[in-house]
Amino acid sequence: MRTTWFSKCMLAVSMAGIFTAAPALAQTTLKMAYALSTNSHYGAGADAFAKSIEGSTTGQFKVQQFANSALGGEREVIEGLQLGTIDVAIVSTGATLNFVPKTGVFDIPFLFRDLAQARKVLDGEIGQQMLAEFPKRGLVALAWGEQGFRQLTNNVRPVAKPEDAKGLKIRTTENPIHIAAFRQMGVLATPMAWPEVATALQQGTIDGQENPLSVIVSAKLPQLQKYLSLTAHVYGPALVLMAPNVYDGLSDADKAKFKTAGHDAAVAMRGYVDAVEKSGLEEVKAQGMKVNTVDHAAFVAAVEPVYPQYYKQFGKELVESIRNTK
């Protein structure tokens, strides 16, 4: 009789333990990596992603953010997605070019006229077909995010025309498409991982860098650079990527929720860019940066000799179809 009563008690305790532990076991924490601070367009996208997926799955998934390249540079982060050591990431096409070469077409200088045209291309057939290329490279692309148009900063002189940029040592991404255009203008293009840039600027190893206003503001570059030239030479897309080992194990319903979260992240990034395009110039001026406009037509003409190289690499039809989108 005592044995039976004791056994029942132990069974009840065991079952209670199982049910108590169940909610904790059901929750999955996802590691999300990006190169910039939480107070950036990437951070805005990551917050929107986390809020969306945690809400739509009622806490089944929790997002842990690793900002400021805490898990490595963008190349290492993408490799982490392929290996399954990182679950979600926001990255630039400067990095995806090494994994999905076709994405490099969007990095051609002076390909886009404005944000409206760029967004129309990315949201349309061309952009969606490009997202479909990622699974072939062991990656899942959820959505196109945004950084905005890249501008030139340096510590030597204002750059108003192409010849002003000649001889400047400018940090670029590890992107041969950008590098070819800069070298055409006589710039000493210096590929460098983002985490190394601030130190290189402080030490004078490089004269300047180029990035969208969203990065210039969030990375506090006015503290390190004197001149900002509004070259708008390259539109900077971003991508919300996911590890296939996580995504492929989801139900169809959960996959749809993650795609929605990716879309929400993209919307948040675009909203951040829209806001910083309005307020960013005044902010950097207030911090002492000298801002100048440029002879845009002269810059377009200066890189035009490189376009046959881009036609050969990506196909003239694709390049011109993007360039001519209304």
Side-chain angles (χ1 to χ4, degrees), residues 82-315:
Q82 291 176 319
L83 294 170
T85 56
I86 296 172
D87 303 307
V88 189
I90 298 175
V91 300
S92 70
T93 49
T96 62
L97 171 66
N98 299 304
F99 299 85
V100 184
K102 286 184 179 181
T103 60
V105 71
F106 299 131
D107 284 282
I108 293 176
F110 304 108
L111 182 69
F112 295 105
R113 295 182 302 278
D114 51 36
L115 289 174
Q117 181 202 8
R119 292 169 180 177
K120 185 172 183 179
V121 170
L122 293 176
D123 293 341
E125 184 178 356
I126 292 172
Q128 298 312 299
Q129 286 178 347
M130 205 72 76
L131 294 181
E133 294 291 319
F134 281 79
K136 302 173 187 177
R137 303 289 179 168
L139 297 161
V140 176
L142 297 176
W144 288 106
E146 184 170 84
Q147 302 191 76
F149 279 93
R150 303 179 80 88
Q151 317 288 359
L152 182 68
T153 71
N154 82 96
N155 278 327
V156 180
R157 56 181 173 266
V159 174
K161 50 191 184 299
E163 48 265 41
D164 295 334
K166 190 172 182 179
L168 292 178
K169 194 169 186 180
I170 302 296
R171 177 266 176 180
T172 68
T173 61
E174 298 175 40
N175 187 329
I177 297 162
H178 292 185
I179 293 168
F182 277 116
R183 288 179 176 166
Q184 177 67 32
M185 292 187 291
V187 170
L188 302 177
T190 308
M192 185 181 294
W194 178 248
E196 302 169 18
V197 174
T199 300
L201 289 172
Q202 289 169 332
Q203 295 177 346
T205 308
I206 52 177
D207 297 317
Q209 61 85 59
E210 45 85 44
N211 255 307
L213 267 174
S214 54
V215 177
I216 292 168
V217 172
S218 64
K220 298 180 171 56
L221 287 177
Q223 297 177 11
L224 302 172
Q225 296 273 263
K226 295 178 183 177
Y227 303 105
L228 167 61
S229 300
L230 301 177
T231 50
H233 51 278
V234 172
Y235 170 74
L239 281 148
V240 184
L241 301 181
M242 194 167 174
N245 71 313
V246 177
Y247 184 81
D248 293 343
L250 298 171
S251 66
D252 288 343
D254 281 344
K255 286 178 180 177
K257 292 172 184 176
F258 272 89
K259 286 185 177 179
T260 297
H263 171 75
D264 291 344
V267 169
M269 279 186 266
R270 288 181 178 182
Y272 188 103
V273 168
D274 285 338
V276 83
E277 289 290 329
K278 294 177 182 177
S279 65
L281 284 180
E282 294 307 314
E283 188 171 339
V284 299
K285 286 177 183 178
Q287 294 180 55
M289 250 186 158
K290 296 180 180 179
V291 180
N292 67 276
T293 57
V294 304
D295 184 343
H296 194 262
F299 275 94
V300 173
V303 302
E304 198 67 35
V306 188
Y307 262 74
Q309 175 182 323
Y310 301 145
Y311 292 149
K312 184 177 180 180
Q313 188 172 357
F314 300 108

